[in-house]
Amino acid sequence: MASQQEHTVKAFDQDIGQLRGLISQMGGLAEAAIGHAMTALQRGDLELADRIRQDDRRIDAIEADVERTAVRIIALRAPLANDLREVVAALKIAAVVERIGDYAKNIAKRVPLIEGEHRIEPLSTVPAMAKIAAEMVHDALDAFAARDAAKAVEIVRRDRTLDDFYDSIFRTLVTYMVENPKTISQCAHLLFVAKNLERIGDHATNVAEMVHFAATGNQMTDREWGNQ
Amino acid sequence: MTDHAKITAEGVNVFYGAKQAIRNVSLHVRQDEVTAFIGPSGCGKSTFLRTLNRMNDTIAGARVEGDVRLDGEDIYARAMDVVQLRARVGMVFQKPNPFPKSIFENVAYGPRIHGLARSKAELAQIVERSLQRAGLWNEVKDRLSESGTALSGGQQQRLCIARAIAVDPEVILMDEPCSALDPIATARIEELISDLRGRYAIVIVTHNMQQAARVSQKTAFFHLGELVEYGDTSAMFTNPREERTKDYITGRYG
Amino acid sequence: MTERQPTDWRAPAMQRRLRRRYAAERRFRLLGLAAILASAAFLAFLLVSMVARGAGGFVETRVALPLDLSDVRIEGARLMGPGADLALAGAGLENAVDRAADAAFAPAGGAAILSDGAWLVVRDAVKRDPGLLGRRTVLDVPVATEIDIARKGRGTPEAEASVRRLGDRLSSGLNTDFFAGADATDPTRAGIWGALKGSLLTMAVTMALAFPIGVLAALYLEEYAPRNRVTDVIEVSINNLAAVPSIIFGLLGLAVFLGTFHLPRSAALVGGLTLALMTMPVIVIAGRNAIKAVPPSIRDAARALGASRVQVVFHHVLPLALPGILTGTIIGMARALGETAPLLMIGMRAFIAAPPDRLTDPATALPVQIFLWSDEVSQGFVEKTSAAIIVLLVVLLAMNGLAIYLRNRFETRW
């Protein structure tokens, strides 16, 4: 896929390169935010949770930067074919990654609410789920950088695992709440954390779909979705 | 695809002396669409355009092989009259080339040599209708006797289009009609092309890919005398099938 | 990579180079101006000397001659119609004039004062007014060449004496004979009209032949002929033909038109045919250039509308090329008009005393007439020669003026 001969107009290549740089920077920040959120959750580190909220502002700023760059490329370079798809994908991926950052922030916000009381057991499965979600985000952005449609398809399939994780955590937490009503508030927050992670996985899937479109020019088929 | 095909070309080869300018090109031009030919300079797109109304005949050493049909009639057949063919397949050129005559005479020339008007009044009617269709009538109706060369570049080009329309052709070939015009004049020609779509089958050669994207429904990409890719314009510009097409339209042509 | 020193545009070497360039510019402009001035000076010298010497040729000196025509009797009816000249000559008009001259200018031998053709002037006067016969009258008649020249200031001492003696009986007037007459042995009677008419007839033949043939040849070569070895040879031949010395065309005319076709000698027809041969290549070359200058886009436009080849040529190419073709043609014609050598070869140098009426009549041409007169021994022909040159120059100027007018009038811009 990465046949990329250079553009005759060198500045075009620079612009596209800049756009890709911004996206991977954003992806790196979002991925780190997920990891930090988990760490904060596990350790009950309120300071770290606070820093995640600060970092989210940077993600928002980069998203605005991506928008500006993309609009400038469209206006000045009139990209066509794969260039056009890539710019459009970058624009959409930036919005999605920004959402991912928001979910990480949301998890961080719940850290003080979950902390302070008696630690509950399902807390150990959530970081495992978070690891998968963070990996999906990481891989989706890798796939974007490499324009790797095959990898994108593979990421989409991984979303299943995350859904299964969520279902399992949901059932566990419900059992917990039924058994021990004192933990309901804590469990509810934890449920939201799991839900956020599940949403992050969905968004990583979206990114993968966009990567597939940018790379091949086609939407992912049902077969590739793995629905059959 | 053949259902509305106005022009069908099958296995066309064009030679200039020993040099082959077009290699085995086959494509269909539909009646109700604008077809754009794009490609780098010297790729044969203009040559191929000129085989569609046999304008290559006058070039010494030019030879056309293959089958080109207009409504199923072989235009290179012995029985095909070139003069009538060119009346049926009009052409607009890169540089506006009005005759150094009055605006009226420019438009009236074609109908006159083909005897399309039975009276002076009818001729005047044809001239007015053609100028109106070319979107020039309001600008020139008060100065029809002025020289066509006194108009601005964009007006001259629209005059040339009016002149081509006046003989009531079935197909209009345009060879880079906007390359000598400013963006506003270009926009007016493009608007005119979309107005004329449906009434005439239009084939346009252009260097400007954005223009091809704007005005055409089908696009053909030529490279080194070959037809690399031919298909719907929107597909071509978002997701070309061929690597060479992609490299060309994204500005990576080496 | 070493850093390139920035160019010092104000360095002395740079300034010197700049000065040298300006100096070269100025030198070239001055040289060009000098060339223009030199050619203008030559032209002015030519015109001034021609006009100074030739102006006298348009003027004749007349003397008031008291005439007694009472002896010359003739019936009125014979004065009408073609026999009048003969009748008057038979009636002794010439003798009467001679007698009158002897009587009027007694000591000096009257006939020597008057021009040989003086009695012809009297004859024409009688024809206009038959009432002159049978009574005394005074008529202005032309004087002999020597007296005429002396009056204009370049005569022999004897003639000068005669001029002084005749005093105010002499007068000057426009020499109508010069414009109306043909060649004559007596310079006072010699006229340019015969030669001019010969030239015009010759040019008419040349034009009628060379123009259509030349234009058609040019059109064929440019618009129809394929580019191959044959047309290349033809092109080279035509270019060479235009450079062939004119006397060769004269020899050709002599051999072909006189030798093979036995056309009449000295005729405007043969002169025209010969000059047409000479002019045609010029027209072909000028025509081809003019046709080449018509933009191909115009041909494309017409062809794309379904115009046939002939329609393209005659509706578009030819009208646009015509000003150029006409200019070239007129310049070629002007060259033919000034041509002497080929006309000498086909015998147009004979002494022709009457203007030609038909193409086959013996005729002469302006430049040949100038050549012949310049050879004459008689003093009176010197100013006639210059006067004839002035006429020739005026005709040439008029033709070139026409060429410029046509070019400006019909030139199309696109």
Side-chain angles (χ1 to χ4, degrees):
Chain A
M1 269 295 144
S3 73
Q4 303 309 313
Q5 210 184 333
E6 281 190 346
H7 283 98
T8 311
V9 180
K10 298 280 185 301
F12 195 169
D13 283 328
Q14 284 167 16
D15 285 352
I16 297 259
Q18 188 193 353
L19 196 61
R20 281 185 201 146
L22 288 171
I23 293 289
S24 58
Q25 201 184 343
M26 250 183 120
L29 285 172
E31 195 190 329
I34 298 168
H36 289 155
M38 278 307 116
T39 314
L41 188 64
Q42 276 174 306
R43 296 187 193 151
D45 188 341
L46 297 181
E47 217 171 289
L48 186 58
D50 200 44
R51 223 176 66 213
I52 291 166
R53 269 181 273 177
Q54 302 292 324
D55 282 354
D56 190 54
R57 297 221 185 97
R58 278 176 64 201
I59 295 182
D60 291 354
I62 295 174
E63 190 212 359
D65 219 7
V66 168
E67 267 172 25
R68 268 197 305 277
T69 309
V71 166
R72 197 187 67 216
I73 289 175
I74 291 170
L76 302 187
R77 313 284 175 208
L80 283 173
N82 57 329
D83 291 337
L84 177 62
R85 297 197 308 261
E86 188 168 341
V87 172
V88 170
L91 206 51
K92 289 172 77 176
I93 288 171
V96 171
V97 172
E98 193 269 335
R99 286 297 299 150
I100 292 175
D102 285 350
Y103 286 125
K105 189 174 76 177
N106 192 273
I107 292 171
K109 261 197 233 166
R110 292 176 198 279
V111 170
L113 305 173
I114 296 172
E115 201 48 46
E117 291 171 47
H118 184 70
R119 287 183 77 80
I120 52 170
E121 188 263 339
L123 212 49
S124 52
T125 34
V126 171
M129 184 185 180
K131 201 174 160 227
I132 295 176
E135 258 172 27
M136 277 175 76
V137 171
H138 176 86
D139 289 352
L141 290 163
D142 270 3
F144 176 71
R147 292 173 203 73
D148 190 340
K151 197 168 183 180
V153 171
E154 187 263 322
I155 291 162
V156 166
R157 289 188 176 153
R158 253 193 274 167
D159 193 41
R160 265 297 153 78
T161 326
L162 213 54
D163 288 351
D164 292 345
F165 248 109
Y166 174 69
D167 286 346
S168 143
I169 290 173
F170 178 81
R171 272 194 300 275
T172 314
L173 284 173
V174 168
T175 316
Y176 242 82
M177 286 187 273
V178 171
E179 284 174 2
N180 190 355
K182 271 203 280 179
T183 59
I184 283 182
S185 144
Q186 207 180 358
C187 284
H189 282 301
L190 210 50
L191 196 55
F192 274 116
V193 169
K195 183 70 200 167
N196 284 344
L197 290 173
E198 193 264 342
R199 292 296 302 150
I200 288 173
D202 286 349
H203 282 304
T205 310
N206 281 344
V207 171
E209 279 175 62
M210 286 162 211
V211 169
H212 187 273
F213 176 73
T216 64
N218 298 315
Q219 308 292 344
M220 252 185 230
T221 58
D222 278 356
R223 202 172 51 76
E224 283 162 330
W225 266 101
N227 282 356
Q228 268 98 36
Chain B
M1 189 123 131
T2 42
D3 51 346
H4 287 101
K6 188 71 188 172
I7 296 179
T8 58
E10 298 292 345
V12 173
N13 291 299
V14 180
F15 301 85
Y16 289 134
K19 187 176 160 283
Q20 187 164 5
I22 293 287
R23 293 168 197 276
N24 193 22
V25 169
S26 303
L27 63 75
H28 296 185
V29 172
R30 283 171 57 116
Q31 165 66 52
D32 53 353
E33 285 181 340
V34 176
T35 306
F37 292 175
I38 60 169
S41 297
C43 66
K45 55 192 189 301
S46 286
T47 301
F48 186 71
L49 188 76
R50 285 161 173 262
T51 59
L52 302 182
N53 69 343
R54 293 183 59 175
M55 282 295 275
N56 285 333
D57 286 16
T58 49
I59 299 167
R63 190 156 53 83
V64 177
E65 282 175 5
D67 189 55
V68 185
R69 288 173 186 276
L70 174 66
D71 282 339
E73 268 181 276
D74 183 357
I75 69 167
Y76 283 90
R78 213 169 261 280
M80 174 59 76
D81 180 63
V82 185
V83 163
Q84 265 184 19
L85 170 72
R86 293 196 189 128
R88 291 170 66 188
V89 183
M91 190 160 188
V92 175
F93 296 85
Q94 181 171 2
K95 219 184 123 219
N97 55 354
F99 300 129
K101 298 177 175 186
S102 74
I103 293 168
F104 184 91
E105 282 302 314
N106 260 286
V107 183
Y109 181 71
R112 198 170 271 160
I113 59 171
H114 293 296
L116 300 184
R118 277 181 300 273
S119 64
K120 273 200 167 152
E122 198 180 340
L123 187 64
Q125 217 177 353
I126 291 176
V127 169
E128 177 175 344
R129 199 178 55 223
S130 306
L131 284 169
Q132 251 160 2
R133 272 190 203 157
L136 195 60
W137 176 250
N138 288 331
E139 289 159 64
V140 301
K141 64 181 173 206
D142 300 322
R143 45 178 183 146
L144 289 175
S145 56
E146 274 177 40
S147 172
T149 50
L151 296 173
S152 75
Q155 288 174 324
Q156 285 189 17
Q157 195 61 297
R158 277 180 284 148
L159 178 62
C160 292
I161 294 174
R163 184 175 65 186
I165 291 173
V167 290
D168 206 18
E170 297 156 33
V171 182
I172 300 178
L173 310 177
M174 300 188 177
D175 192 353
E176 295 177 36
C178 301
S179 60
L181 303 182
D182 65 66
I184 301 296
T186 300
R188 303 194 69 159
I189 301 277
E190 286 174 5
E191 174 61 21
L192 174 58
I193 290 171
S194 15
D195 283 351
L196 297 176
R197 179 160 71 89
R199 190 184 292 275
Y200 312 98
I202 295 174
V203 184
I204 176 171
V205 164
T206 176
H207 266 133
N208 182 338
M209 278 173 296
Q210 302 299 331
Q211 179 170 65
R214 286 190 298 263
V215 302
S216 71
Q217 283 71 52
K218 287 275 196 304
T219 300
F221 171 62
F222 286 81
H223 186 228
L224 299 176
E226 284 172 55
L227 177 62
V228 176
E229 189 169 343
Y230 177 53
D232 285 334
T233 299
S234 55
M236 186 87 123
F237 284 102
T238 54
N239 189 17
R241 293 189 300 274
E242 300 285 331
E243 197 71 5
R244 277 191 288 173
T245 318
K246 189 194 78 184
D247 283 350
Y248 179 69
I249 65 176
T250 57
R252 288 186 176 87
Y253 175 76
Chain C
M1 200 176 98
T2 55
E3 191 58 35
R4 201 176 156 278
Q5 285 292 315
T7 310
D8 182 5
W9 295 104
R10 302 196 169 279
M14 206 53 102
Q15 296 289 328
R16 262 202 308 285
R17 191 172 297 125
L18 207 58
R19 271 198 301 281
R20 271 208 303 282
R21 260 178 18 202
Y22 279 124
E25 199 105 339
R26 260 196 312 278
R27 253 195 325 273
F28 181 75
R29 220 174 41 218
L30 285 176
L31 275 177
L33 195 64
I36 294 284
L37 285 178
S39 43
F42 280 125
L43 189 67
F45 176 73
L46 174 78
L47 286 180
V48 167
S49 71
M50 280 305 143
V51 170
R53 270 199 282 169
F58 300 111
V59 176
E60 66 179 358
T61 305
R62 301 196 190 109
V63 63
L65 177 70
L67 264 177
D68 178 10
L69 294 180
S70 45
D71 293 347
V72 185
R73 294 195 184 283
I74 219 163
E75 295 129 55
R78 293 187 62 193
L79 278 175
M80 308 296 148
D85 289 356
L86 211 62
L88 283 166
L93 189 64
E94 192 171 0
N95 288 335
V97 172
D98 281 353
R99 277 199 306 280
D102 284 340
F105 319 120
I113 298 287
L114 294 188
S115 149
D116 290 346
W119 76 273
L120 295 172
V121 175
V122 176
R123 183 190 70 188
D124 291 344
V126 169
K127 273 200 290 185
R128 274 197 304 276
D129 178 14
L132 291 176
L133 291 180
R135 59 189 179 87
R136 287 167 177 281
T137 179
V138 179
L139 280 176
D140 278 342
V141 297
V143 295
T145 307
E146 295 80 42
I147 310 286
D148 185 44
I149 291 167
R151 180 112 200 287
K152 289 166 186 165
R154 281 194 300 272
T156 56
E158 305 93 80
E160 298 272 11
S162 300
V163 171
R164 270 195 300 282
R165 193 157 47 75
L166 290 169
D168 55 5
R169 288 158 83 183
L170 291 174
S171 62
S172 293
L174 188 66
N175 189 350
T176 48
D177 274 352
F178 183 70
F179 292 108
D183 198 7
T185 44
D186 178 7
T188 58
R189 300 290 303 156
I192 200 70
W193 175 237
L196 187 59
K197 196 172 176 190
S199 268
L200 293 178
L201 286 175
T202 309
M203 285 299 105
V205 173
T206 304
M207 183 79 183
L209 222 67
F211 184 69
I213 294 180
V215 171
L216 286 177
L219 277 177
Y220 182 82
L221 282 175
E222 276 305 310
E223 298 289 320
Y224 283 88
R227 294 269 174 278
N228 57 26
R229 193 63 62 86
V230 178
T231 43
D232 282 352
V233 169
I234 290 175
E235 185 169 348
V236 171
S237 310
I238 287 174
N239 288 345
N240 282 336
L241 215 55
V244 166
S246 55
I247 192 141
I248 311 287
F249 285 104
L251 284 169
L252 183 75
L254 179 66
V256 176
F257 300 128
L258 299 186
T260 310
F261 293 111
H262 302 292
L263 292 174
R265 223 160 227 294
S266 309
L269 176 65
V270 180
L273 288 170
T274 310
L275 291 180
L277 286 181
M278 204 189 77
T279 313
M280 201 190 69
V282 178
I283 296 179
V284 172
I285 292 169
R288 289 187 67 179
N289 286 334
I291 290 164
K292 252 189 218 138
V294 175
S297 65
I298 297 291
R299 293 185 184 84
D300 279 350
R303 255 202 311 269
L305 283 175
S308 67
R309 255 178 167 185
V310 173
Q311 284 171 328
V312 171
V313 168
F314 284 95
H315 293 171
H316 299 286
V317 176
L318 195 57
L320 291 176
L322 210 53
I325 296 176
L326 284 180
T327 310
T329 304
I330 289 169
I331 286 168
M333 296 295 290
R335 198 188 130 197
L337 181 69
E339 207 50 75
T340 324
L343 299 183
L344 296 180
M345 295 309 299
I346 55 149
M348 285 183 84
R349 61 167 306 172
F351 175 79
I352 314 285
D357 286 325
R358 281 170 299 153
L359 290 177
T360 47
D361 283 346
T364 187
L366 268 178
V368 179
Q369 188 72 78
I370 291 167
F371 170 73
L372 291 176
W373 281 352
S374 68
D375 244 12
E376 291 278 350
V377 281
S378 167
Q379 264 282 313
F381 277 112
V382 173
E383 62 178 26
K384 295 289 167 200
T385 308
S386 294
I389 289 174
I390 291 173
V391 171
L392 181 63
L393 286 181
V394 166
V395 174
L396 286 176
L397 218 64
M399 286 178 77
N400 283 330
L402 184 67
I404 292 169
Y405 170 77
L406 285 175
R407 194 167 54 219
N408 291 342
R409 174 74 177 73
F410 294 108
E411 198 170 45
T412 332
R413 275 160 287 270
W414 49 74

